[in-house]
């Protein structure tokens, strides 16, 4: 398939040898081009595919050095030399493809040149095969991998990388656990590969693969790979991701169950049987009830043969004839017949039958509907029509009766409102084609006259009322200089087939029409607002992952760094401090998301604690630095302008404000750009306070002047950012402004298209006292030890999660506590009662647990007969983090409330208080 032009560079080769090579025919798919030089030429050498150099008459080492320095990475070098020159050429053996002896005759030289052509042909054939393999495995949607016997992936295709969300450089050379983001290799996968290598045959199986994103179901085809000597060196696998297909299958099963439930419970009767009626394929309870049977067995036992024995004898022949007339699949027929039940009741049945084909067999599918009540309605219809006329005469301004065949009519009711002049237009005997046109011409708006005239002709009324009992036509009239909405209604009366009699009424629907128009406008506005809000909320949720991934990226990155430097305790401690800082921020983000309703309703409160501003900004740098590096941005934090560094503030809220601004800077700044954070102190602060200015600037795409005016409005986003494909919720700036204003600060923005953006925040913060300054060091270096008096205390830990228990027990025992545990509330109560009042000094109680939850367990403990045991301190340790959860814990009798993940400093602080 391929074609290759071989560029030969002949250096120092004799004319006779050169002519011999130039006259040699090229192999298939090759063409030759020759360049001769008397001495080494770097330009000709660099452009050549093959260099043939005769050094027999020159300094072999000098020529070889000059040639190899200019060789291309894929160039073949052939040296023609004397035997005594071999030693001088030894340093260049790695660059020389072959050595030809000098002075060979033409036949030997021809042989060597042909062999060279075959070598080149094999190289390019191998290259072509490699291209075919790469193109094939990377173009198919299935996962393809090649693994050695020890389970290492040596080659994977693009689909494999897309599934595990990693690059080939990350996957190739790694094992199963790393690639799929799980703790250990999958035992099922290991076993199937062992079977392949032992049996030396292809194994097909379905495997559930645990990944970081959940369980994936694969259909795998694994075959052995062999060494040159026939031994097995590994396996090749092809995997089809059938996770979604299995979900679809389950969905179909559920839908079939639903359809089956509907079939058996629906009011419409359904029965399916063979053409001769000898076998019933399916029948639901509604059909049995209509036919007067309690079960399918009773129907068959009574002699069902296409027609149920309960069908009245006079209707049997017509029913059989209608059903027998179906000849082709898809043919259907409607029938009416009567059924007599055992108690004598007559049921009128509206039925239909359709010829269908199932698995090659022709069947009759029939539907039965009990319309006995509708029959009774027909008997009462005439009386209802009279009642309808009476009802119309109560509400309508004008009611007339007309015979459409003659056009003659009489007025039944005419409004007494003189200003309407209806009594002048509709008095005495009436003619439809006279009084109605005069009414239309005198009061109806010009735009609606043609519509009403066409609708109220005798011909149109006759056509429309043939198919329906009544028709309505809306129109407008001019009254006292204003538009009034009206409606004309025509209702047929009597026996329509014998006499085309109608009642025609006119009424004002102005008020209700205008009310409906207002409601419609309000509904449309509400719908627009709802759609806008829904779209905004959807955008918020779909893009919230960006804010979560920022600290998560730092956690993953520093975790990897810590693992790779486990022998460097100082570095590991540094990374752990940064991981803790990022984890704290991630937890605050999650709390903010869950507490969004509190933010929108203004119920968020500030938690002012001692804080070091340089430490706060150092933590901020740790969180953002990984992403700025990945985006190739220059990021700096400058705190040199700070005088008083120790303050009391809500550290998480300030962090949130700055991260919101930095998140925008990251999104809207191209690689190579700059992002700066400058914190400085301003003069003019009140006593014991400091005025601080935080400036966040970038060299990004900037914003238009129009958008800057609305940047702090909820859900506002610049149109150009959408076009550029940058996603955002549109809530960040609104939340940021609210948080700044909660701190009684100000925020301003300056921006220019293509030049960048600068946000300036000014806050007045209370200065921390000396004790606070000591507590405001970075969190990673602070460790609160439990009071010496607490050591040796016995704690009952109640938690149903194995990992949570293991972590808590280890941390507590490391600090000198004795810990026993229970896995649910009932077990905790039993252990306390069994141990007695002096065994445990405190209970750490989870809330959400099986058997008995933490609230019920606390209530049970407080009700124990032993007073000392009933008063044991109980501290809630739960993931239920809202204020109402804390209040609920206190109401049920707990002494304190800590949220997960547990911060050990806060835990020991609480233990110091409770065990004092």
């Amino acid at each position: 398939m391929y074609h290759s032009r071989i560029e030969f560079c002949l250096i120092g080769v004799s004319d006779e040898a050169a002519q011999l090579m130039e006259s040699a025919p090229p192999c298939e798919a090759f063409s030759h081009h020759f360049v001769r030089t008397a001495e080494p030429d770097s330009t000709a050498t660099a452009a050549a595919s093959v260099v043939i150099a005769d050094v027999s008459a020159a300094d072999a080492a000098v020529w070889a050095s000059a040639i190899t320095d200019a060789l291309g990475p894929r160039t073949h070098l052939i040296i023609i030399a004397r035997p005594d020159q071999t030693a001088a050429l030894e340093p260049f053996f790695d660059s020389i493809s072959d050595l030809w002896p000098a002075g060979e005759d033409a036949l030997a030289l021809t042989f060597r040149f042909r062999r060279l052509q075959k070598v080149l042909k094999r190289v390019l054939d191998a290259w072509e095969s490699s291209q075919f393999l790469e193109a094939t495995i990377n173009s198919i949607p299935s996962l393809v991998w090649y693994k050695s016997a020890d389970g290492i992936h040596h080659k994977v295709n693009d689909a494999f990388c897309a599934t595990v969300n990693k690059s080939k450089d990350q996957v190739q050379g790694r094992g199963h656990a790393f690639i799929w983001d799980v703790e250990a290799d999958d035992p099922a996968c290991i076993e199937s590969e062992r079977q392949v290598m032992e049996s030396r045959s292809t194994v097909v199986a379905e495997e559930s693969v645990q990944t970081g994103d959940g369980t994936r179901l694969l259909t795998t085809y694994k075959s052995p790979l062999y060494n040159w000597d026939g031994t097995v060196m590994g396996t090749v696998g092809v995997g089809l991701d059938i996770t979604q297909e299995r979900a679809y299958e389950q969905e179909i099963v559920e839908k079939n169950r639903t359809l089956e439930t509907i079939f058996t419970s629906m009011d419409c009767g359904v029965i399916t049987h063979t053409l001769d009626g000898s076998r019933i394929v399916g029948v639901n309870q509604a059909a049995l009830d209509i036919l007067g049977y309690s079960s399918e067995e009773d129907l068959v036992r009574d002699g069902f043969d296409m027609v149920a024995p309960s069908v009245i004898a006079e209707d049997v022949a017509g029913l059989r004839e209608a059903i027998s007339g179906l000849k082709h699949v898809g043919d259907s027929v409607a029938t009416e017949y009567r059924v007599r039940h055992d108690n004598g009741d007559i049921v009128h049945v509206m039925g239909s039958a359709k010829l269908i084909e199932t698995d090659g067999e022709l069947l009759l599918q029939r539907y039965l509907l009990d319309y006995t009540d509708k029959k009774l309605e027909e008997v009462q219809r005439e009386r209802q029509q009279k009642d309808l006329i009476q009802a119309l005469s109560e509400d309508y301004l004008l009611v007339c009766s007309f015979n459409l065949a003659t056009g003659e009519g009489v007025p039944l009711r005419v409004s007494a409102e003189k200003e309407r002049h209806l009594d002048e237009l509709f008095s005495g005997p009436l003619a439809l084609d006279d009084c109605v046109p005069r009414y239309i011409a005198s009061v109806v708006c010009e735009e609606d006259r043609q519509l009403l005239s066409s609708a109220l002709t005798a011909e149109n009324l006759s056509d429309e009322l043939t198919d329906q009992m009544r028709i309505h036509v809306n129109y407008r009239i001019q009254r006292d200089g204003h538009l009034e909405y009206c409606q004309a209604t025509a209702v047929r009366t009597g026996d329509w087939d014998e006499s085309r009699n109608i009642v025609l009424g006119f009424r004002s629907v102005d008020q209700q029409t205008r009310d409906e128009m207002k409601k419609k406008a309000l509904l449309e506005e509400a719908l627009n607002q709802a759609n806008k809000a829904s779209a905004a909320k959807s955008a918020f949720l779909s893009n919230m992952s960006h804010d979560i991934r920022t600290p998560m990226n730092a956690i993953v990155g520093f975790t990897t760094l810590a693992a790779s430097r486990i022998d460097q305790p100082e570095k590991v401690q540094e990374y752990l401090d940064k991981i803790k800082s990022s984890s704290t921020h991630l937890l605050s983000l999650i709390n903010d998301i869950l507490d969004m309703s509190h933010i929108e309703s203004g119920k968020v409160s500030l938690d002012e604690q001692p804080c070091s501003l340089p430490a706060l900004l150092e933590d901020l740098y740790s969180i953002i630095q990984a992403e700025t590096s990945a985006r190739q941005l220059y990021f700096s934090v400058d705190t040199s302008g700070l005088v008083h560094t120790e303050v009391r503030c809500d550290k998480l809220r300030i962090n949130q404000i700055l991260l919101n601004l930095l998140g925008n800077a990251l999104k809207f700044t191209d690689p190579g750009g700059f992002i700066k954070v400058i914190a400085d102190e301003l003069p003019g602060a009140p006593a014991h306070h400091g005025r601080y200015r935080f400036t966040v600037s970038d060299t990004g795409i900037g914003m238009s002047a129009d958008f800057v005016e609305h940047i702090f409005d909820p859900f506002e986003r610049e149109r150009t950012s959408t076009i550029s494909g940058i996603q955002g919720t549109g809530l960040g700036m609104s939340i940021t402004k609210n948080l700044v204003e909660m701190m009684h600060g100000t925020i301003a923005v300056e921006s220019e298209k293509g030049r960048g953006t600068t946000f300036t925040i000014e806050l007045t913060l209370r200065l921390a006292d000396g004790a606070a300054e000591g507590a405001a060091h970075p969190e990673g270096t602070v460790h609160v030890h439990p009071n010496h008096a607490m050591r040796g205390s016995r704690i009952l830990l109640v938690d149903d999660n194995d990992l949570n228990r293991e972590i808590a027990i280890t941390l507590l025992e490391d600090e000198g506590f004795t810990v026993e545990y229970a896995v649910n509330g009932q077990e905790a109560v039993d252990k306390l009662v069994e141990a007695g009042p002096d065994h445990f000094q405190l209970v750490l109680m989870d809330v959400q647990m099986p058997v008995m939850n933490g609230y019920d367990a606390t209530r049970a403990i407080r009700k124990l007969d032993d007073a000392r045991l009933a008063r044991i301190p109980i501290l809630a340790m739960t993931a239920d983090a809202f204020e109402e959860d804390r209040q609920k814990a206190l109401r049920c009798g707990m002494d304190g409330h800590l949220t997960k993940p547990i911060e050990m400093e806060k835990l020991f602080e609480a233990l110091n208080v409770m065990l004092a």
Side-chain angles (χ1 to χ4, degrees):
M1 179 180 292
Y2 67 88
H3 178 81
S4 180
R5 173 186 168 105
I6 307 298
E7 299 286 345
F8 288 93
C9 178
L10 308 181
I11 303 174
V13 178
S14 66
D15 289 342
E16 179 181 0
Q19 290 174 2
L20 186 148
M21 287 185 260
E22 290 172 354
S23 62
C27 295
E28 181 183 357
F30 285 81
S31 61
H32 294 171
H33 179 261
F34 290 86
V35 174
R36 300 189 198 180
T37 63
E39 295 180 349
D41 184 316
S42 61
T43 302
T45 300
S49 308
V50 179
V51 176
I52 302 177
D54 189 342
V55 301
S56 60
D59 187 326
V62 172
W63 275 37
S65 176
I67 294 171
T68 55
D69 286 345
L71 280 180
R74 297 182 180 178
T75 305
H76 292 262
L77 174 59
I78 311 297
I79 297 293
I80 302 175
R82 304 188 310 273
D84 61 336
Q85 293 176 307
T86 304
L89 294 173
E90 183 179 1
F92 308 99
F93 279 1
D94 289 341
S95 300
I96 298 173
S97 301
D98 200 0
L99 278 176
W100 293 359
E104 285 191 319
D105 58 25
L107 189 60
L109 186 61
T110 298
F111 167 76
R112 292 189 182 279
F113 188 75
R114 289 182 178 175
R115 187 175 65 180
L116 171 63
Q117 289 178 293
K118 292 178 181 179
V119 169
L120 295 175
K121 181 70 166 58
R122 285 196 297 271
V123 169
L124 288 182
D125 285 348
W127 170 83
E128 181 185 53
S129 298
S130 176
Q131 292 292 306
F132 287 167
L133 174 63
E134 289 292 331
T136 300
I137 68 172
N138 286 321
S139 63
I140 61 176
S142 304
L143 284 68
V144 180
W145 63 89
Y146 298 83
K147 295 172 66 173
S148 56
D150 58 357
I152 299 301
H153 295 70
H154 286 268
K155 186 177 185 62
V156 298
N157 70 341
D158 292 345
F160 189 101
C161 293
T163 299
V164 301
N165 197 25
K166 290 182 175 65
S167 67
K168 288 186 178 179
D169 290 340
Q170 293 174 307
V171 171
Q172 293 177 162
R174 303 305 293 263
H176 178 99
F178 172 82
I179 293 172
W180 293 96
D181 296 326
V182 292
E183 294 292 334
D185 289 348
D186 189 345
C189 179
I190 296 173
E191 175 60 22
S192 65
E193 289 168 356
R194 185 191 63 77
Q195 293 179 9
V196 169
M197 291 186 285
E198 287 186 358
S199 65
R200 298 195 175 198
S201 61
T202 299
V203 172
V204 181
E206 285 192 2
E207 297 182 8
S208 294
V209 181
Q210 295 296 330
T211 75
D213 295 329
T215 301
R216 306 291 290 273
L217 186 61
L218 303 178
T219 295
T220 61
Y221 301 80
K222 298 181 181 179
S223 302
L225 294 172
Y226 298 98
N227 289 306
W228 180 263
D229 61 0
T231 59
V232 176
M233 68 174 178
T235 61
V236 57
V238 177
L240 303 178
D241 190 339
I242 60 171
T243 308
Q244 192 63 51
E245 285 77 0
R246 285 291 183 270
Y248 288 153
E249 289 178 5
Q250 185 60 35
E251 183 179 354
I252 291 172
V253 170
E254 294 298 329
K255 287 183 177 179
N256 286 339
R257 290 175 180 168
T258 301
L259 290 174
E260 183 178 353
T261 301
I262 293 173
F263 174 76
T264 56
S265 61
M266 63 190 299
D267 292 336
C268 177
V270 182
I271 182 170
T272 304
H273 57 77
T274 55
L275 292 181
D276 59 2
S278 61
R279 177 168 59 89
I280 296 177
V281 177
V283 60
N284 69 349
Q285 190 59 48
L288 294 170
D289 293 341
I290 291 172
L291 295 175
Y293 295 92
S294 59
S295 67
E296 179 182 343
E297 291 76 14
D298 292 341
L299 177 59
V300 173
R301 191 182 303 111
D302 201 26
F304 177 83
D305 61 347
M306 186 187 299
V307 176
S310 57
V311 175
I312 292 178
E314 302 94 278
D315 298 342
V316 171
L319 180 57
R320 286 187 181 276
E321 182 180 355
I323 296 175
S324 300
L326 302 178
K327 301 299 183 184
H328 304 96
V329 174
D331 288 350
S332 61
V333 63
T335 59
E336 293 185 28
Y337 53 94
R338 294 164 295 168
V339 171
R340 179 179 284 108
H341 288 184
D342 291 341
N343 61 3
D345 291 344
I346 301 296
V347 176
H348 293 265
V349 180
M350 177 71 72
S352 67
K354 184 175 183 179
L355 189 61
I356 63 172
E357 183 177 0
T358 301
D359 296 332
E361 182 181 13
L362 292 177
L363 300 173
L364 283 169
Q365 189 169 70
R366 296 167 58 185
Y367 300 92
L368 292 71
L369 185 64
D370 182 350
Y371 82 120
T372 305
D373 293 340
K374 295 186 182 301
K375 277 289 186 181
L376 297 177
E377 290 176 4
E378 291 177 3
V379 175
Q380 300 174 356
R381 191 165 298 166
E382 185 174 350
R383 187 191 319 169
Q384 291 174 343
Q385 288 174 342
K386 293 178 180 178
D387 293 341
L388 178 60
I389 294 173
Q390 181 62 33
L392 285 173
S393 67
E394 294 290 333
D395 299 330
Y396 279 65
L397 300 171
L398 172 69
V399 181
C400 303
S401 174
F402 288 99
N403 181 280
L404 296 182
T406 64
E408 298 176 350
V410 294
L412 301 177
R413 181 178 186 277
V414 180
S415 172
E417 298 180 44
K418 294 296 183 181
E419 64 273 14
R420 293 185 179 274
H421 305 292
L422 293 177
D423 54 345
E424 299 174 6
L425 297 172
F426 297 90
S427 61
L430 304 177
L432 182 64
D433 58 1
D434 174 56
C435 61
V436 172
R438 286 193 296 120
Y439 170 74
I440 294 173
S442 61
V443 299
V444 176
C445 290
E446 185 175 354
E447 296 88 345
D448 296 343
R449 289 175 185 172
Q450 181 60 43
L451 169 68
L452 193 59
S453 297
S454 301
L456 298 185
T457 62
E459 180 180 1
N460 185 72
L461 289 170
S462 180
D463 291 341
E464 294 289 337
L465 292 174
T466 298
D467 299 325
Q468 48 193 324
M469 282 295 299
R470 74 188 69 186
I471 61 170
H472 302 282
V473 183
N474 292 331
Y475 62 97
R476 295 165 297 171
I477 68 172
Q478 288 284 354
R479 185 185 179 204
D480 298 332
H482 300 286
L483 283 178
E484 181 179 354
Y485 292 90
C486 294
Q487 184 181 76
T489 300
V491 182
R492 72 187 191 189
T493 61
D495 190 331
W496 183 252
D497 294 330
E498 292 184 2
S499 61
R500 300 290 170 122
N501 292 325
I502 68 166
V503 170
L504 180 62
F506 297 89
R507 65 169 177 160
S508 174
V509 292
D510 190 72
Q511 187 60 46
Q512 67 188 70
T513 300
R514 295 186 185 278
D515 290 344
E516 289 174 0
M517 291 169 64
K518 289 180 182 179
K519 291 178 182 178
K520 183 178 179 181
L522 291 174
L523 288 173
E524 289 178 351
E525 177 64 21
L527 178 61
N528 290 335
Q529 293 296 331
N531 288 337
K532 182 178 179 180
S534 176
K537 293 292 186 181
S538 298
F540 170 76
L541 292 174
S542 65
N543 292 287
M544 184 55 69
S545 63
H546 174 272
D547 289 336
I548 294 177
R549 286 179 183 274
T550 299
M552 197 65 207
N553 184 52
I555 293 171
V556 174
F558 286 124
T559 301
T560 303
L561 290 174
S564 66
R565 292 166 173 77
I566 200 69
D567 57 343
Q568 302 177 33
E570 296 82 1
K571 280 290 184 182
V572 171
Q573 183 60 48
E574 177 186 348
Y575 296 148
L576 291 177
D577 291 343
K578 293 178 179 179
I579 290 170
K580 182 176 181 181
S581 175
S582 298
S583 301
T584 301
H585 175 64
L586 180 60
L587 180 60
S588 74
L589 279 178
I590 295 172
N591 289 335
D592 283 347
I593 296 169
L594 297 177
D595 207 27
M596 183 59 68
S597 62
H598 291 70
I599 294 175
E600 293 178 344
S601 62
K603 296 180 180 179
V604 175
S605 59
L606 298 177
D607 181 18
E608 295 187 350
Q609 297 292 336
C611 172
S612 168
L613 291 180
L616 183 149
L617 293 171
E618 181 182 346
D619 290 344
L620 185 72
Y621 182 87
S622 299
I623 294 172
I624 295 297
Q625 189 269 337
E627 188 167 357
T628 55
S629 297
R631 293 173 179 262
Q632 301 177 18
L633 300 173
Y634 297 96
F635 178 48
S636 65
V637 176
D638 182 2
T639 60
S640 61
L642 295 177
V643 178
H644 302 91
T645 60
E646 308 303 322
V647 298
R648 294 185 68 86
C649 66
D650 190 325
K651 175 182 176 181
L652 291 181
R653 296 304 181 190
I654 294 180
N655 229 343
Q656 183 178 358
I657 291 169
L658 295 177
L659 278 173
N660 277 347
L661 300 180
L662 286 170
N664 280 346
L666 286 171
K667 288 191 291 184
F668 297 108
T669 304
D670 295 329
F674 290 83
I675 299 176
K676 297 180 181 179
V677 178
I678 300 175
D680 52 12
E681 193 166 343
L682 304 175
H688 308 296
H689 289 75
R691 286 184 62 211
Y692 297 92
R693 178 174 59 198
F694 300 88
T695 304
V696 179
S697 60
D698 63 65
T699 59
I701 64 175
M703 296 177 285
S704 66
D706 291 339
F707 178 69
V708 168
E709 295 180 3
H710 302 283
I711 187 173
F712 296 116
D713 294 343
F715 306 112
E716 284 291 336
R717 297 180 64 238
E718 175 107 62
R719 181 178 299 276
T720 55
S721 69
T722 302
I723 294 173
S724 68
I726 300 174
Q727 300 297 316
T729 65
L731 281 174
M733 289 300 97
S734 177
I735 293 174
T736 298
K737 185 172 185 293
N738 287 336
L739 291 176
V740 171
E741 291 178 347
M742 286 174 58
M743 299 178 187
H744 305 290
T746 62
I747 181 170
V749 58
E750 295 179 4
S751 185
E752 183 178 348
K753 281 281 192 177
R755 300 294 297 273
T757 302
T758 298
F759 285 92
T760 303
I761 298 168
E762 292 188 9
L763 299 174
T764 300
L765 304 175
R766 188 154 58 95
L767 300 180
D769 55 22
E773 294 176 6
H777 293 294
E779 291 181 23
T781 62
V782 177
H783 190 81
V784 178
H785 290 282
N787 190 299
H788 178 75
M790 294 163 50
R791 298 183 183 277
S793 297
R794 188 179 302 275
I795 294 176
L796 176 60
L797 174 66
V798 189
D799 198 316
D800 63 322
N801 185 282
D802 295 341
L803 292 178
N804 288 346
R805 289 201 309 272
E806 181 180 352
I807 293 170
I809 290 172
T810 302
L811 291 173
L812 289 169
E813 289 182 344
D814 285 348
E815 298 297 344
F817 293 97
T818 302
V819 183
E820 298 182 22
Y821 70 87
V823 298
N824 59 65
Q826 184 60 59
E827 185 178 338
V829 175
D830 294 342
K831 281 197 172 186
L832 282 174
V833 173
E834 182 180 351
D838 298 322
H839 187 72
F840 295 106
Q841 281 72 56
L842 183 135
V843 178
L844 287 177
M845 182 74 74
D846 191 12
V847 170
Q848 302 294 337
M849 294 182 294
V851 183
M852 179 184 286
N853 63 43
Y855 298 136
D856 292 339
T858 300
R859 295 187 186 98
I861 293 170
R862 296 305 185 216
K863 294 178 181 179
L864 293 175
D865 295 335
D866 190 312
R868 287 186 300 161
L869 195 57
R871 289 195 303 270
I872 188 171
I874 301 176
L875 178 61
M877 192 167 65
T878 172
D880 296 339
F882 291 119
E883 174 62 21
E884 51 264 35
D885 299 315
R886 189 180 74 86
Q887 294 295 335
K888 186 175 181 181
L890 297 178
R891 285 197 302 271
C892 77
M894 295 185 183
D895 299 289
H897 179 272
L898 292 178
T899 60
K900 295 179 181 178
I902 293 299
E903 299 178 49
M904 295 310 297
E905 291 79 7
K906 292 184 178 180
L907 174 59
F908 291 139
E909 181 180 346
L911 294 179
N912 278 333
V913 173
M914 292 189 180
L915 295 176

